[in-house]
Amino acid sequence: MSLLSLPNEILLNYIFSRDNLTTTDLFRLMLSCRRLHNVIVDSNQLWMSKCSSRWIEMQNQLHEKKKVVWKDWVFSQRVIEEVKYAVSNLSSQCYPLGKLVAPLHSVENWIIGFGYPNFVFDEDELHELIFTETIRGNLTLSHYASVAFKRLVTCLQVKNLNTFMAKPESQKSLLEAAKLISKWFHFNGNYRNKTEKLVDSVEQILDKIAERVKQLVKIGKSEDLKDILKCMNKAVFDEMSFRVYYNTDGVEALNHLAASIHKVLQCREGYQEVLCVIYLEVATRDENHLQTYSLFVQRIVEGVVDVFYISMFSRGFFDLPSIHPSLINQPACSFEVLFGQMLESVVARDKRLCLLHPDSCKANLRSSIRLVCVLWPVKVNVIENAKFFLEVDDGVEDAYRLLLSAEVDSNEPVMISCAQKLNSQQSQINEAKVARHRVPSINYAVGLVMFHLHRDAQGLTRQKQCVILSWDECFREEVCRRKWGLSFEPVTNGYRLDQPFYHIIPFETSRYWRFAILFLGKVEKNLYVPQESLVLHPVGIYHDREMPRIDGLCIFFELFDGRRYVPNAEHRAHFPDDNAAALSLIQQI
């Protein structure tokens, strides 16, 4: 007898409710066919029974609440388990590069809907899910939690963007599109704190602007449409000083901020397309006065209300009925026309800025190109964009995914380059799993806080605080400038090359460097230095958490024990003798 031939009551009460049938089994059954999916997903009692057998304490707490959707709660627990397991294992998979070289398939599949298509996480839920107290206290886990968070949020954003693009044109809200683009730029690009929550106050701010317009209309005592629009102009452009973004100062960060409606509402400066959406939304919120009028948006981001011409560059409307009569019957501007034009401008400006500041602007250009590829994959230059992604340190996966989605032949040069880079990354991971044992000439150990002695431009000897990342028995040309995805500057003038050399990560704790790193973007260069230029720090200085994160520390060290940085499990396995050597050196002080 087939399972599908049984009545729903038999399936639920005698088969699916059996104790040996787990929640995992239920999710798999849901994917087998539409009927079983509907039977299982709609049975709140079935999910509650599974909760009571597995999460007794939590089930008792939730049972007191009314209208608990048990299937959603069970699914959230599954995702929590998947994410925690994935984060805890990332270090062993990604060491020593500290970045993902393969997708988080087990977690991504749940987020994008293969596991349970009716459940959707938002960024806040993912943030709380990943950044638990246990993870925050461990440098390595915190690093990989950030890596996972960025990947999963990007995965979720791609899903939401694809869902939006699949809607009929009549159901695509320009405000929803603006918020999706804003979220993309918040979590992608060259921002230092990419795990910071995005506070979605767009609706509240728009409501406040609309309320101010109503107050001005009430003060003016006129319900004529022209007077209402004058009130809108006064509120939006005069009182709140919204203005079009021109990027005359060349600051790369402002380009993406000006395309993000969340930031535009705070900074009052943005692309004309975003200002147009704000103007539209304020107008539609005044239902008493504007509900009988149509507001249209043209390709050049201008519109018409009744017979009044609207222009963001002209700070609102002006009366030109005789010059633009044809605009009255124009259809509403599509999402693709409106934001396609804006994103073309964003990418173009990112490219210009990348020529001026290649090191700091590549991440922003990568972010904007990726967004265009997600929204309109058939319109992008696949080969050109893939080549650009390959130039970015961690962009090889973006290049590979883009090439696969476009079904590029494996014999294409760019595809061959992509495969070679992926193989190179895997080779570095494999090499780092080979233990390196100490030799008598090595005086120091990984994780020790040191002073690096160097001469400044005036010839004076200075000392710089640093942490030892790795060592070599002698100078090695092949790793003196690049190792494990990090850049180093070799220091060799006046030193013997046959002595041990160390890869060090310098850091400063002074207020000046805190300001320089946070606001000026200055960072200390990693160095490859000879042993005779190093001196053991007498007490050890902790790079506190208020300082910006230094690339490398979190990838290789799990905590600071009060005297040294303690290598994580993978780094200890690579330098198995250094833990005892470091402790011995500290005890001798």
Side-chain angles (χ1 to χ4, degrees):
M1 178 180 293
S2 170
L3 190 66
L4 297 178
S5 64
L6 297 174
N8 292 351
E9 292 77 10
I10 299 296
L11 292 173
L12 292 172
N13 298 327
Y14 297 98
I15 297 180
F16 296 159
S17 60
R18 294 173 62 91
D19 293 339
N20 61 346
L21 199 67
T22 66
T23 55
T24 301
D25 297 327
L26 290 182
F27 282 115
R28 289 172 178 168
L29 283 168
M30 287 168 57
L31 298 177
S32 63
C33 71
R34 183 178 297 276
R35 187 202 163 193
L36 291 183
H37 174 275
N38 294 337
V39 169
I40 295 172
V41 79
D42 292 334
S43 177
N44 205 37
Q45 186 65 32
L46 174 63
W47 291 107
M48 185 178 71
S49 67
K50 296 301 177 183
C51 289
S52 63
S53 60
R54 183 170 180 181
W55 299 285
I56 299 176
E57 182 177 350
M58 186 61 68
Q59 193 269 345
N60 292 334
Q61 296 176 10
L62 292 176
H63 191 70
E64 299 175 359
K65 299 181 179 180
K66 297 180 179 179
K67 297 182 180 179
V68 176
V69 183
W70 292 99
K71 65 177 184 299
D72 287 353
W73 188 86
V74 172
F75 178 74
S76 69
Q77 300 308 302
R78 277 299 306 270
V79 176
I80 288 173
E81 292 176 1
E82 293 280 1
V83 171
K84 287 182 176 179
Y85 178 79
V87 169
S88 63
N89 285 277
L90 279 180
S91 183
S92 61
Q93 299 172 21
C94 303
Y95 176 85
L97 301 179
K99 59 189 177 184
L100 294 173
V101 294
L104 288 169
H105 287 304
S106 60
V107 182
E108 286 185 15
N109 287 345
W110 288 97
I111 298 298
I112 64 178
F114 295 143
Y116 179 39
N118 293 334
F119 190 94
V120 178
F121 271 114
D122 62 22
E123 288 84 355
D124 284 350
E125 288 174 313
L126 279 174
H127 190 279
E128 294 300 325
L129 171 66
I130 292 177
F131 293 96
T132 63
E133 287 298 325
T134 303
I135 288 179
R136 288 193 189 101
N138 185 302
L139 294 176
T140 301
L141 285 181
S142 178
H143 168 76
Y144 286 109
S146 300
V147 171
F149 178 77
K150 180 183 175 183
R151 174 62 63 84
L152 295 179
V153 167
T154 300
C155 181
L156 175 60
Q157 289 174 334
V158 170
K159 174 186 176 182
N160 291 338
L161 286 167
N162 289 334
T163 300
F164 178 86
M165 294 298 290
K167 292 181 179 180
E169 196 63 42
S170 59
Q171 297 180 17
K172 290 180 179 177
S173 161
L174 293 180
L175 178 60
E176 180 185 359
K179 291 170 72 173
L180 287 173
I181 291 173
S182 184
K183 288 181 178 180
W184 179 274
F185 284 135
H186 178 79
F187 288 108
N188 296 273
N190 196 27
Y191 301 121
R192 291 197 174 272
N193 192 358
K194 298 176 183 178
T195 60
E196 180 182 353
K197 292 182 181 180
L198 178 63
V199 179
D200 192 353
S201 57
V202 171
E203 300 286 349
Q204 296 92 313
I205 297 176
L206 291 173
D207 288 339
K208 289 181 180 179
I209 299 174
E211 186 61 34
R212 177 55 183 162
V213 173
K214 291 179 183 179
Q215 293 174 0
L216 293 174
V217 170
K218 187 176 181 180
I219 294 172
K221 299 180 180 180
S222 173
E223 295 190 2
D224 181 75
L225 180 58
K226 182 185 294 187
D227 294 329
I228 295 173
L229 291 176
K230 287 181 179 179
C231 292
M232 285 186 59
N233 291 354
K234 183 177 181 180
V236 174
F237 297 105
D238 295 336
E239 295 184 354
M240 300 184 180
S241 302
F242 280 92
R243 61 193 181 99
V244 175
Y245 166 69
Y246 293 102
N247 191 32
T248 55
D249 53 9
V251 180
E252 63 269 15
L254 297 180
N255 191 29
H256 288 189
L257 297 180
S260 307
I261 192 169
H262 295 83
K263 299 299 182 182
V264 172
L265 287 169
Q266 295 176 12
C267 304
R268 312 294 172 85
E269 181 180 11
Y271 274 95
Q272 51 184 331
E273 291 84 351
V274 178
L275 293 182
C276 187
V277 173
I278 293 172
Y279 200 92
L280 282 166
E281 286 298 320
V282 172
T284 56
R285 276 164 165 72
D286 192 353
E287 299 177 355
N288 295 329
H289 299 102
L290 297 181
Q291 61 182 352
T292 59
Y293 300 96
S294 300
L295 186 60
F296 301 105
V297 184
Q298 297 305 312
R299 179 177 178 79
I300 55 175
V301 197
E302 296 173 338
V304 65
V305 180
D306 195 14
V307 292
F308 301 110
Y309 196 66
I310 307 293
S311 170
M312 295 300 106
F313 281 110
S314 302
R315 294 168 60 82
F317 91 98
F318 52 97
D319 188 1
L320 291 173
S322 59
I323 299 178
H324 299 282
S326 62
L327 293 178
I328 300 175
N329 297 319
Q330 289 293 322
C333 177
S334 68
F335 159 80
E336 184 171 352
V337 170
L338 183 68
F339 289 104
Q341 177 178 279
M342 182 186 76
L343 291 177
E344 285 180 6
S345 300
V346 172
V347 171
R349 281 173 172 162
D350 278 345
K351 287 182 177 179
R352 290 198 298 270
L353 290 166
C354 203
L355 293 175
L356 298 173
H357 313 284
D359 294 334
S360 61
C361 296
K362 276 189 177 181
N364 281 346
L365 178 56
R366 173 191 178 190
S367 172
S368 55
I369 290 178
R370 287 179 70 198
L371 178 57
V372 174
C373 291
V374 171
L375 293 174
W376 301 291
V378 297
K379 294 187 177 182
V380 300
N381 187 323
V382 172
I383 301 298
E384 178 184 336
N385 290 330
K387 288 180 178 178
F388 165 74
F389 287 143
L390 286 176
E391 295 175 359
V392 183
D393 284 342
D394 56 349
V396 60
E397 187 188 343
D398 288 330
Y400 189 63
R401 288 189 174 189
L402 180 60
L403 294 171
L404 285 181
S405 65
E407 298 181 351
V408 174
D409 189 88
S410 59
N411 293 321
E412 283 284 341
V414 66
M415 181 63 93
I416 294 174
S417 298
C418 191
Q420 289 174 343
K421 196 163 185 178
L422 287 171
N423 292 335
S424 174
Q425 289 183 347
Q426 191 58 53
S427 297
Q428 292 183 64
I429 292 175
N430 294 337
E431 290 173 5
K433 296 184 184 300
V434 178
R436 299 190 62 194
H437 294 282
R438 297 174 65 83
V439 295
S441 61
I442 303 294
N443 291 342
Y444 304 117
V446 297
L448 288 175
V449 178
M450 310 290 293
F451 279 129
H452 170 236
L453 307 179
H454 67 286
R455 292 187 180 277
D456 61 15
Q458 289 74 36
L460 300 176
T461 300
R462 305 286 186 182
Q463 56 186 23
K464 182 180 299 182
Q465 296 166 167
C466 62
V467 178
I468 295 178
L469 176 63
S470 71
W471 46 257
D472 294 308
E473 293 84 348
C474 61
F475 179 84
R476 293 177 58 194
E477 181 69 35
E478 66 271 20
V479 295
C480 70
R481 297 187 181 276
R482 193 78 178 170
K483 185 179 180 69
W484 298 335
L486 300 176
S487 297
F488 293 86
E489 184 176 302
V491 177
T492 58
N493 290 339
Y495 294 107
R496 294 181 296 104
L497 300 184
D498 59 350
Q499 65 178 304
F501 270 71
Y502 296 78
H503 289 92
I504 63 171
I505 302 178
F507 63 86
E508 288 285 349
T509 56
S510 66
R511 291 184 177 181
Y512 166 76
W513 276 106
R514 189 187 301 264
F515 172 82
I517 294 174
L518 283 173
F519 300 104
L520 302 181
K522 293 184 178 180
V523 293
E524 286 277 15
K525 293 181 179 179
N526 299 326
L527 301 174
Y528 188 55
V529 302
Q531 181 167 273
E532 63 181 289
S533 69
L534 294 176
V535 176
L536 185 62
H537 198 291
V539 293
I541 300 295
Y542 179 45
H543 177 85
D544 65 76
R545 296 187 184 184
E546 293 183 8
M547 289 288 289
R549 188 183 68 186
I550 295 180
D551 292 336
L553 284 182
C554 301
I555 300 172
F556 306 100
F557 305 103
E558 62 184 23
L559 58 90
F560 182 78
D561 67 358
R563 184 59 186 78
R564 62 167 182 140
Y565 282 89
V566 179
N568 55 31
E570 290 70 34
H571 212 42
R572 286 198 302 272
H574 191 42
F575 296 95
D577 307 326
D578 277 42
N579 193 53
L583 294 175
S584 176
L585 285 169
I586 292 171
Q587 291 173 0
Q588 294 174 19
I589 297 179

